[in-house]
Amino acid sequence: MKISKLLEKNLINLDLNTSNKEETLREMVNLLKTEGKIKAKDKFLTKIIEREKEGSTGFGRRIAVPHGKSETVNQLSLAIGRSKAGIEYHSLDGKKVKLIFMVADYPDYSPEYLKLVSTLVSWLREDDFRNELLNAKEKTEFIELFRKKERSTK
């Protein structure tokens, strides 16, 4: 799966100005709704929060990958947020989160969903790639970093 195919400038916020997990999740869901990727904000937000209660998707290294499936989702989508200050997220390592990748999908079994989440987590564990994303100056550079990563992993 090519992650770059899911990347859209309007689904990326490189200047998140939220301070806690719930505000951040709400902001990410707003990006998906504004771009027509989901039909109902509250419904999808509820799914994401339910998933977080099972265990934090803040897996460490200042990264969170909240994800959920709901009938309100129109298509497999990815919204991205970055916070320079960091967000209190109750991560597994106790550190503030700076990069958030929200994955949305419809309820049916979708191998693309599983592949997207696992590929993101795998790539984001790499210090160099993660640091490049943290330091990207603009959305086009951020997207290009993913394209470059895809080319290098063929």
Side-chain angles (χ1 to χ4, degrees):
M1 136 158 288
K2 284 195 175 256
I3 293 174
S4 62
K5 287 183 178 180
L6 296 174
L7 299 178
E8 299 176 23
K9 285 184 187 178
N10 291 341
L11 289 173
I12 301 172
N13 180 344
L14 297 180
D15 296 305
L16 275 178
N17 194 18
T18 56
S19 60
N20 64 51
K21 187 179 198 173
E22 190 168 327
E23 277 179 24
T24 302
L25 296 175
R26 189 175 307 280
E27 184 66 27
M28 302 299 291
V29 169
N30 283 340
L31 286 174
L32 292 167
K33 174 66 172 137
T34 301
E35 292 306 305
K37 304 299 182 183
I38 59 174
K39 297 176 206 101
K41 287 190 298 192
D42 291 341
K43 235 180 185 177
F44 189 66
L45 182 60
T46 298
K47 283 285 187 191
I48 290 290
I49 290 171
E50 284 172 5
R51 168 60 190 85
E52 287 296 323
K53 286 178 182 173
E54 293 172 19
S56 180
T57 58
F59 65 82
R61 297 182 173 100
R62 304 195 181 278
I63 305 295
V65 185
H67 51 281
K69 292 176 170 256
S70 171
E71 64 282 349
T72 192
V73 176
N74 292 320
Q75 67 190 76
L76 179 63
S77 304
L78 177 63
I80 300 170
R82 182 176 71 187
S83 167
K84 289 184 174 62
I87 298 154
E88 288 296 343
Y89 201 91
H90 311 294
S91 291
L92 300 178
D93 63 1
K95 294 182 179 173
K96 289 185 176 183
V97 163
K98 292 193 172 191
L99 285 170
I100 301 95
F101 295 82
M102 181 176 279
V103 180
D105 200 11
Y106 45 88
D108 298 331
Y109 172 74
S110 168
E112 290 84 14
Y113 173 85
L114 297 172
K115 181 82 170 144
L116 174 58
V117 172
S118 67
T119 301
L120 275 173
V121 170
S122 173
W123 287 1
L124 294 168
R125 284 188 171 132
E126 298 175 21
D127 293 339
D128 290 343
F129 182 62
R130 190 175 60 256
N131 288 330
E132 287 177 327
L133 294 174
L134 284 167
N135 293 315
K137 302 282 187 255
E138 55 193 41
K139 294 176 184 182
T140 51
E141 180 184 354
F142 198 93
I143 292 169
E144 187 52 41
L145 288 168
F146 271 92
R147 289 188 180 124
K148 181 179 156 190
K149 183 69 174 164
E150 287 169 344
R151 288 190 298 269
S152 73
T153 56
K154 284 186 178 178

